[in-house]
């Protein structure tokens, strides 16, 4: 006899089946290290967006005192990540399809989040990493005459993104391995270069900047670049919908109820996996609640140790190298990324080795961000369409949806290569601020109204979600006012 399937209503979306929450491995240091992976992907995105590009540029222009923004941003984004993961641990559903359950429903929130996702990815990281490759090829900083070469390398970098995520058993596992290798190489290289080249006086000055809370540059006539500062604030850790992908990657790792709904397999080396169009909830028993708290414990340890610590350390090391070699206030060209500029500065001290070394760091930092950011947006759009029932048109193979969207996004990004890489990064960074304004409040709504009372966040997490919306609303407002004034010629 077939066992009857029980369901429970969950907001405005379809009812969820009731399943069993699996028990996590016993919490030991060895098990913890074997289970981590989401933080490696998030740190890989973080170090390319804020730490390598916008952090050094902001600090060189306005001084280390601006780094308090990174401290606040990293605290708030860690809380945000954990609340995204809370929902997925409880339901197995990634957070953006979860937000479709809120009033007035998916026909309102679907287009809103699809638009935010599309505007949150650009080829700016690939184009900037291409600058590093072009500099290696030329043996000098690329100029305007070398634009064609940079374009070729940039398109090759985007194609490499598609190639890498096509192999493996599951996409998340491939990203974790690539990100882990990149993060280890980048951090080890930065520590060595900072110890070797940066004067000791800068170590304390940069560290102090993380605690100079409230400092903001002042200027008249629009001399403060709020687009840069707003982008730096959003990308000081990860950034908007890229943070929200923590729930998708965790689901694909099989944490909590994520093990009950399936994952996105790779195109080559993977196999067709049955992926549910909706989440699954568990019975609220003493045993299941204890298991849920243990899963949350793993999440909190990963986020507050590896993610939080890794983001702040990455920002510190990247900014330290930049300001130790490039005098504050030095004008930085907007056409090419800071990787080639830092490589040139390092080469003045240690010759050709420094030139090649820093350019390779820059490539790995920026290309690693491109692959993970592209995957994050593609899987958000995939989950949106899959939860809407698109599986029936693809023989229930989620790979078809994922790789078609990846191909379309890649073609779209190729058309954007004509634009300034830094401009593209700044645009998507400020869109990340918008995502936090909307996402902080809607995530609070989701976790305090849709989840059962026993699984809802405590008051500190609720305050954190309100704070992240307010924090980024300030920078979004300042940026919007400045852009409008520039358009009006004020």
């Amino acid at each position: 006899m077939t066992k009857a399937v029980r369901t429970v209503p969950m907001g405005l979306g379809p009812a969820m089946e009731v399943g069993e929450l699996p028990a996590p491995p016993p919490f030991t240091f060895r098990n913890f290290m074997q289970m981590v992976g989401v933080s490696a992907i998030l740190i890989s995105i973080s170090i390319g967006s804020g730490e390598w590009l916008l952090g050094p540029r902001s600090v060189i222009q306005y001084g280390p005192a601006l780094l308090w923004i990174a401290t606040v941003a990293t605290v708030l984004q860690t809380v945000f990540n954990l609340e995204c993961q809370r929902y997925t641990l409880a339901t197995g559903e990634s957070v953006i399809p979860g937000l479709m359950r809120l009033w007035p429903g998916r026909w309102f929130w679907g287009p809103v989040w699809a638009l935010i996702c599309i505007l949150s990815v650009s080829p700016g990281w690939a184009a900037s990493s291409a600058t590093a490759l072009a500099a290696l090829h030329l043996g000098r900083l690329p100029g305007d005459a070398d634009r064609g070469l940079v374009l070729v390398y940039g398109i090759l970098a985007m194609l490499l993104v598609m190639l890498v995520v096509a192999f493996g058993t599951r996409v998340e596992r491939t990203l974790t391995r690539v990100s882990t290798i990149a993060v280890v190489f980048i951090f080890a290289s930065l520590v060595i270069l900072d110890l070797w080249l940066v004067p000791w006086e800068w170590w304390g000055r940069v560290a102090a900047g993380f605690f100079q809370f409230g400092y903001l540059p002042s200027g008249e006539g629009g001399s403060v670049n709020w687009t840069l500062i707003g982008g730096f604030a959003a990308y000081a850790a990860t950034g908007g919908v890229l943070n929200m992908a923590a729930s998708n990657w965790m689901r694909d790792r099989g944490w909590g109820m994520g093990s009950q709904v399936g994952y996105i397999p790779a195109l080559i080396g993977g196999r067709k996996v049955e992926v549910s169009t909706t989440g699954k909830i568990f019975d609220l028993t003493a045993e299941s609640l204890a298991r849920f708290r243990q899963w949350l414990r793993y999440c909190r340890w990963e986020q507050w140790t590896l993610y939080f610590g890794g983001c702040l350390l990455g920002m510190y090391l990247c900014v330290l190298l930049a300001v130790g070699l490039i005098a504050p206030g030095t004008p930085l060209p907007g056409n090419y990324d800071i990787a080639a500029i830092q490589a040139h500065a390092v080469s003045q001290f240690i010759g050709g080795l420094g030139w090649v070394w820093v350019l390779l760091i820059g490539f790995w930092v920026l290309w690693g961000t491109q692959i993970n950011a592209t995957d994050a947006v593609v899987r958000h759009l995939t989950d949106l369409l899959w939860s809407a029932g698109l599986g029936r048109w693809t023989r229930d193979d989620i790979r078809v949806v994922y790789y078609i969207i990846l191909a379309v996004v890649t073609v779209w990004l190729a058309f954007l290569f004509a634009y300034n890489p830094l401009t593209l990064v700044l645009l998507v960074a400020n869109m990340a601020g918008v995502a936090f304004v909307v996402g902080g409040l809607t995530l609070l709504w989701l976790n305090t109204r849709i989840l059962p009372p026993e699984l809802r966040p405590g008051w500190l997490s609720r305050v954190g979600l309100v704070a992240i919306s307010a924090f980024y609303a300030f920078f979004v407002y300042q940026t919007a006012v400045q852009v409008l004034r520039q358009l009006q010629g004020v």
Side-chain angles (χ1 to χ4, degrees):
M1 180 180 296
T2 303
K3 185 178 180 180
V5 176
R6 290 190 297 119
T7 62
V8 294
M10 296 287 285
L12 297 183
M16 289 188 182
E17 292 183 11
V18 177
E20 182 180 358
L21 177 66
F27 191 88
T28 64
F29 179 76
R30 182 177 181 180
N31 286 340
F32 171 69
M33 294 305 297
Q34 289 177 340
M35 291 181 67
V36 297
V38 173
S39 58
I41 302 174
L42 291 171
I43 291 171
S44 180
I45 297 175
S46 171
I47 202 168
S49 307
E51 280 88 332
W52 191 256
L53 284 180
L54 303 184
R57 186 175 289 270
S58 299
V59 171
I60 287 172
Q61 189 163 343
Y62 298 112
L66 204 63
L67 286 170
W68 70 271
I69 292 176
T71 304
V72 175
T74 306
V75 170
L76 295 177
Q77 289 191 35
T78 302
V79 173
F80 186 85
N81 294 348
L82 284 167
E83 289 309 306
C84 290
Q85 293 179 314
R86 174 189 298 274
Y87 179 78
T88 302
L89 283 178
T91 66
E93 193 170 70
S94 58
V95 72
I96 286 189
L99 294 173
M100 302 302 104
R101 297 178 177 278
L102 300 176
W103 184 87
R106 76 165 50 251
W107 297 112
F108 174 78
W109 291 114
V112 168
W113 282 107
L115 180 62
I116 291 176
C117 285
I118 292 169
L119 295 178
S120 295
V121 66
S122 85
W125 303 289
S128 296
S129 70
T131 305
L133 292 178
L136 277 172
H137 178 104
L138 297 168
R140 57 174 173 80
L141 295 174
D144 290 336
D146 305 305
R147 190 178 185 85
L149 180 65
V150 174
L151 177 62
V152 169
Y153 275 123
I155 292 176
L156 289 175
M158 281 302 307
L159 293 176
L160 184 60
V161 167
M162 290 191 66
L163 182 64
V164 169
V165 298
F167 286 89
T169 54
R170 63 181 74 186
V171 175
E172 173 273 330
R173 185 171 297 171
T174 300
L175 293 176
T176 298
R177 290 172 177 171
V178 172
S179 299
T180 301
I181 294 170
V183 167
V184 170
F185 168 70
I186 292 163
F187 273 74
S189 296
L190 287 171
V191 169
I192 294 170
L193 288 171
D194 283 337
L195 289 171
W196 191 353
L197 301 173
V198 178
W200 286 110
E201 62 180 286
W202 278 107
W203 291 71
R205 292 175 63 181
V206 172
F210 286 91
F211 304 98
Q212 294 181 249
F213 297 104
Y215 166 79
L216 289 172
S218 60
E220 298 179 357
S223 60
V224 176
N225 186 346
W226 283 106
T227 302
L228 174 61
I229 296 175
F232 164 58
Y235 274 176
T238 303
V241 297
L242 308 183
N243 291 75
M244 299 171 84
S247 72
N248 305 64
W249 293 315
M250 188 190 70
R251 176 203 65 192
D252 281 17
R253 289 188 71 80
W255 284 32
M257 292 302 288
S259 62
Q260 309 297 303
V261 299
Y263 59 87
I264 299 177
L267 183 64
I268 302 171
R271 59 179 178 83
K272 181 179 176 181
V273 173
E274 183 178 347
V275 179
S276 175
T277 59
T278 188
K280 295 184 180 181
I281 193 73
F282 56 90
D283 279 322
L284 301 176
T285 65
E287 182 182 11
S288 66
L289 289 174
R291 291 178 176 182
F292 181 75
R293 287 191 290 269
Q294 281 294 95
W295 281 114
L296 270 181
R297 186 182 183 190
Y298 272 108
C299 290
R300 286 167 176 158
W301 269 85
E302 183 179 28
Q303 289 297 311
W304 285 113
T305 58
L306 299 180
Y307 177 75
F308 177 76
C311 287
L312 288 182
L313 180 61
M315 180 68 74
Y316 178 65
L317 294 175
C318 286
V319 169
L320 191 61
L321 181 63
V323 300
L325 299 173
I326 305 171
T330 299
L332 297 176
N335 291 331
Y336 299 107
D337 71 274
I338 200 168
I341 300 169
Q342 287 179 298
H344 177 72
V346 171
S347 69
Q348 303 302 304
F349 290 89
I350 59 177
L353 171 64
W355 173 258
V356 173
W357 193 357
V358 177
L359 286 175
L360 287 176
I361 297 172
F363 170 77
W364 270 107
V365 164
L366 297 162
W367 183 80
T369 298
Q370 186 71 65
I371 186 173
N372 290 320
T374 302
D375 171 77
V377 169
V378 170
R379 69 175 54 238
H380 281 321
L381 296 174
T382 299
D383 283 346
L384 273 175
L385 293 176
W386 192 259
S387 65
L390 192 64
R392 62 180 179 271
W393 303 105
T394 62
R395 296 183 179 180
D396 293 322
D397 193 342
I398 198 170
R399 292 178 298 179
V400 176
V401 182
Y402 177 88
Y403 284 101
I404 288 176
I405 294 176
L406 177 62
V408 171
V409 168
T410 301
V411 172
W412 161 246
L413 295 181
F415 282 107
L416 297 179
F417 266 102
Y419 296 92
N420 183 333
L422 178 62
T423 300
L424 292 173
V425 171
L426 286 173
L427 286 174
V428 297
N430 281 277
M431 180 52 61
V434 175
F436 280 130
V437 174
V438 179
L441 297 178
T442 53
L443 183 57
L444 176 64
W445 186 5
L446 179 69
N447 282 356
T448 57
R449 291 294 179 267
I450 303 302
L451 289 182
E454 295 86 347
L455 308 181
R456 293 173 184 175
W459 70 270
L460 273 177
S461 296
R462 300 184 190 202
V463 170
L465 291 176
V466 174
I468 198 170
S469 289
F471 182 72
Y472 285 106
F474 169 79
F475 293 104
V476 169
Y477 171 78
Q478 295 290 349
T479 302
V481 168
Q482 185 171 69
V483 170
L484 288 174
R485 286 177 176 173
Q486 290 172 347
L487 292 174
Q488 296 169 358
V490 177

